[in-house]
Amino acid sequence: MPRRPLLLATLLSALLAAGPALAQGAPPGMPGTSAIQSEDARLLPVFAPHGMVASQEAKATRIGVDVLKRGGNAVDAAVAVGFALAVTLPRAGNLGGGGFMMVHLAARNETVALDYRETAPAAATTTMFLGPDGTPDPRASTATGKAVGVPGTVRGLAEALERYGSGRFSLAELVAPAERLSREGIVVDDDLADSLPRAAGRLGAWPSSRAVFFNGDRPFGWGERLVQADLAATLRAIQAGGPDAFYRGPVAARLAGAVRAAGGVMTEGDLADYRTVLRRPVRGTYRGYDVVAMPPPSSGGVHLIEILNILEGFDLGASGAGSAAAIHLMAEAMKQAYADRATFLGDPDRITVPVAGLTAKPYAARLRALIDPERARPADAVKAGDPLPFESDQTTHFSVVDRDGNAVSNTYTLNFSYGLGLVAEGTGVLLNNEMDDFSAKPGAQNAYGLVGSEANAVAPGARPLSSMTPTFLFRDGRLALVTGSPGGSRIISTVLQVITGLIDFRLNLAEAVAAPRIHHQWRPDALLVETGLSPDTLALLRARGHRVVVGSASGSANSILVVPGGLAGAADPRQRGTLADGQ
Ligand code: DON
C-alpha cells in the first residue's frame, strides 16, 4: 500500500489498535471493488481484508462476521444481523417494523432494492389521523394501535435469503443466534442501557411491554440480564415454519389482536396479504462515482442524488470541511430538495413520482442558479421546483461486504425508539408506529417536522413515505462504499455528508462518519448543527442569514469503504456499543 511517511505515527498507532487483522498485511484487492482513496491509503480504525460487518450493536456485528467466516455471503450475514438486532438493539432492530435492503451481487454486477416497508392496513382511511375538528391528531398516529403499519421485516429478510443467499445456510440456522440470545438473555449495557430509561414512559404504558423490559417499577438497567422468552418462541416458530409462521396462525392472530386492542385496525388478513416489492434502485453520479440508492417509497435516494447534483457545480473541497462557505451551500441545496420532497414524493405504486426529473442534472443546474453563495434564502422563498414529469431514536443501519465483493446496505426501523412501545402480548414483538410517516393531511407535519402532500396521503395498502437511504457508491462499475443511517428526516443529509466527507473533503471513513453534521429540511427554516463546529463558523453562517440551531447528535452511519487491499469500516461513535469488524 502506498503510504505517506508523515502519517507513519498514525499508522503505527492504528496498527497497534487494530490488532491481528492489520498485522496480517494486505492481500490483493477484492474482486469487483474499487478503492475510493487510491493515492492516499490512510489507515482506518478497523481493517478487514476478507469481509466486514458494520452495525449499531457489537453482538450483532460479531454474529454477522461469524456467518462470513463460515462461508456465508453478505446476504446470509445480513439476515443473521437483521434477526440478531431485533434482540440486542430492540429500539430499532425489529420483527415488527420494516425497511429497505439494497443488495449488490458482484458476479452478476447487479444491484437490487428490496422494499419491505410496512403497509397501511386495508381498513386505513385518508382521514384516520384527523381529529373531529379536522386538524391532525399526532397522538393517534404515534401512540395508539392506529399507528401500526403491517410489518415487513420477517418476510423481507426471508426473501432476501431465498433470492440472494449463498444457499449454504437455512433461515433456521441464521435465526438461531437471535433465538439463543433472546432465550438465554443478554446483559444490558451500552445503547440498551442508554435507551431503555429514555423510553420508560412509552414502554411502561403497556403491561405487555412492562412484562418484558421492566424489572419491578423501572426498566432493566446496566449489568442486568434481559431475557425475551416470548420473542424466543416467535423466533423458534419462524425457524420451524418460515415467514408464514409470523404472517399466519397464532403469531399473526396475537399481533393483530394486540393492535386492535390498542385502537388500531390491522387484521390477520392484512398480515397474510403482506408482500415485499423488488425495485430498481435510483441512480446518479457524483464527481466520477456512481451513486446507487433506495428509490421510492423512500425519498432518500432521490433527494440524496438531487442534492449531490446541485453541489457538484460548486468546489466544496476548496472551501474545506466544516467551513461556513461549504455548509451554507449544502444547506441551500438541502432546502430545495426537502421542498421538492414535500410536494412530489409518496408511494410509487399509488402515485407517479417524477424520479427521473428530480434526479436529472439539468434540473439541478436550474436549482443551483437560484443559490446565492453569500446569502441564505428564507424557506418561504424556496418553492418546490418544476422537474420534468416521469417521462418516461429509531432506525438502524448496517453494512456488510463479503470476500467476493457482494454487499448489503440495510436500513430498517420501528420509526420511534422502540416504535409504538407496545409488545404484542405473547409474541415478544415490539410494534412500529410507522403510520406517522404518512401526511395526516396536505401540509401537515409528521413527528420529524416533515411536510407532505396528497402524494403521501394514507390509503389502504399504501406504503408511507420514508427517508431511509441505504446507499452504494461505485467507481468504474466497482463497489467503493456501503453506507446509510437512522435519523428520521436527517437520514438523507447524514448519508450526503459521509459522501461529501470522503469525496470532497478527503476525510478518511472514520473522520467522515464522526465529523459534526449539519441539516436543513426547508421547514422548519432552521439550520441544525451538531456540536463541534467552531463559534466563528457559526457566526459566519448567521451572518449569511441562517437561523442556526445547535442540536443533539443524530445518525448512526455504520459504513464500509473499499480501500487498497481490502475493506475499512467505521461504526458511528455517536452511540455506545457500535462495531465494525471483520475477518
Ligand atoms: O422511514 C423513515 O424515514 C422514518 N420512519 C425513520 C425513523 C428514524 O430514522 C428514527 N431514527 N432515528
Side-chain angles (χ1 to χ4, degrees):
M1 271 192 257
R3 288 169 185 168
R4 296 200 308 216
L6 268 178
L7 288 163
L8 199 59
T10 325
L11 292 179
L12 279 174
S13 57
L15 259 169
L16 291 171
L22 271 175
Q24 288 166 2
M30 306 184 61
T33 59
S34 171
I36 207 164
Q37 291 170 302
S38 48
E39 84 282 8
D40 182 8
R42 290 177 294 166
L43 277 183
L44 297 142
V46 185
F47 178 76
H50 301 303
M52 174 171 270
V53 178
S55 94
Q56 205 174 323
E57 200 285 319
K59 287 182 277 299
T61 290
R62 292 195 185 100
I63 285 167
V65 171
D66 184 56
V67 171
L68 292 177
K69 280 188 178 147
R70 288 157 57 207
N73 71 7
V75 176
D76 300 332
V79 170
V81 173
F83 279 103
L85 286 170
V87 180
T88 62
L89 190 79
R91 72 161 156 141
N94 65 82
L95 305 186
F100 302 125
M101 183 186 284
M102 302 272 305
V103 179
H104 177 67
L105 303 160
R108 292 197 235 160
N109 198 17
E110 188 185 331
T111 307
V112 293
L114 182 64
D115 168 356
Y116 60 95
R117 179 75 162 164
E118 299 92 329
T119 55
T125 64
T126 310
T127 54
M128 69 189 280
F129 297 123
L130 298 181
D133 60 352
T135 57
D137 175 4
R139 196 182 165 276
S141 63
T142 59
T144 72
K146 283 188 187 176
V148 182
V150 184
T153 296
V154 173
R155 205 163 277 296
L157 295 178
E159 283 188 12
L161 180 68
E162 199 175 303
R163 286 173 187 275
Y164 309 117
S166 68
R168 288 186 205 108
F169 291 85
S170 65
L171 183 63
E173 286 170 296
L174 298 175
V175 171
E179 191 279 328
R180 185 177 54 74
L181 289 176
S182 51
R183 176 170 38 84
E184 293 178 356
I186 51 174
V187 174
V188 173
D189 61 9
D190 292 333
D191 184 82
L192 191 54
D194 291 337
S195 65
L196 273 174
R198 289 200 294 261
R202 288 185 307 111
L203 287 167
W206 309 97
S208 53
S209 308
R210 228 171 224 281
V212 176
F213 293 108
F214 274 52
N215 184 3
D217 60 357
R218 55 157 182 86
F220 283 101
W222 190 282
E224 294 179 331
R225 183 167 287 270
L226 172 67
V227 175
Q228 300 175 73
D230 287 342
L231 183 58
T234 298
L235 290 166
R236 279 195 296 279
I238 295 169
Q239 286 181 296
D244 281 348
F246 182 89
Y247 287 95
R248 295 168 189 277
V251 174
R254 288 200 175 101
L255 295 173
V259 171
R260 282 207 307 283
V265 295
M266 190 176 86
T267 63
E268 284 180 67
D270 288 321
L271 285 158
D273 288 346
Y274 182 83
R275 298 282 175 274
T276 64
V277 185
L278 207 54
R279 302 192 186 273
R280 190 171 310 163
V282 57
R283 287 172 181 272
T285 60
Y286 186 63
R287 305 196 200 282
Y289 290 88
D290 293 303
V291 184
V292 182
M294 192 67 208
S298 179
S299 58
V302 169
H303 297 303
L304 173 67
I305 290 168
E306 180 181 356
I307 298 169
L308 288 170
N309 282 344
I310 296 172
L311 293 176
E312 204 172 31
F314 298 112
D315 189 354
L316 288 185
S319 302
S323 64
I327 290 172
H328 169 74
L329 294 171
M330 291 162 90
E332 292 302 296
M334 287 175 195
K335 263 182 218 175
Q336 181 64 58
Y338 280 86
D340 283 349
R341 182 190 192 280
T343 297
F344 296 113
L345 269 282
D347 181 352
D349 298 335
R350 213 176 58 81
I351 58 149
T352 304
V353 182
V355 173
L358 288 166
T359 56
K361 298 273 185 199
Y363 177 60
R366 276 194 279 136
L367 300 178
R368 192 184 307 125
L370 302 174
I371 294 177
D372 179 342
E374 298 302 331
R375 201 67 215 157
R377 285 181 303 165
D380 283 345
V382 179
K383 301 275 178 265
D386 183 18
L388 286 176
F390 187 51
E391 69 277 17
S392 58
D393 246 308
Q394 205 82 19
T395 304
T396 190
H397 175 84
F398 58 86
S399 303
V400 186
V401 182
D402 68 22
R403 70 178 67 68
D404 298 318
N406 302 307
V408 167
S409 183
N410 188 94
T411 315
Y412 71 156
T413 187
L414 293 164
N415 195 25
F416 285 12
S417 185
Y418 298 90
L420 175 58
L422 170 62
V423 171
E425 179 85 49
T427 66
V429 175
L430 269 166
L431 294 163
N432 68 80
N433 57 356
E434 217 74 59
M435 295 287 282
D436 188 63
D437 279 350
F438 283 115
S439 302
K441 70 176 194 182
Q445 294 186 344
N446 74 357
Y448 302 99
L450 288 167
V451 187
S453 71
E454 161 57 27
N456 186 31
V458 188
R463 288 163 140 83
L465 181 59
S466 173
S467 301
M468 292 187 285
T469 315
T471 299
F472 296 124
L473 284 193
F474 294 86
R475 178 107 199 185
D476 304 323
R478 294 153 84 84
L479 183 71
L481 174 72
V482 187
T483 190
S485 180
S489 56
R490 292 158 78 171
I491 293 173
I492 304 170
S493 52
T494 296
V495 173
L496 172 84
Q497 287 164 89
V498 173
I499 294 174
T500 53
L502 290 166
I503 295 179
D504 293 286
F505 303 126
R506 312 279 307 144
L507 306 179
N508 76 26
L509 185 65
E511 292 162 339
V513 166
R517 296 181 188 130
I518 63 114
H519 173 74
H520 201 303
Q521 63 183 54
W522 177 53
R523 290 184 198 285
D525 192 356
L527 176 59
L528 268 182
V529 303
E530 291 181 330
T531 39
L533 290 174
S534 66
D536 53 2
T537 305
L538 301 188
L540 287 168
L541 287 165
R542 291 191 174 108
R544 278 177 161 87
H546 291 283
R547 189 162 75 78
V548 177
V549 177
V550 181
S552 55
S554 171
S556 188
N558 306 300
S559 307
I560 299 177
L561 180 72
V562 177
V563 294
L567 300 167
D572 203 311
R574 285 167 180 75
Q575 300 84 23
R576 291 199 269 188
T578 61
L579 178 68
D581 201 2
Q583 49 153 351

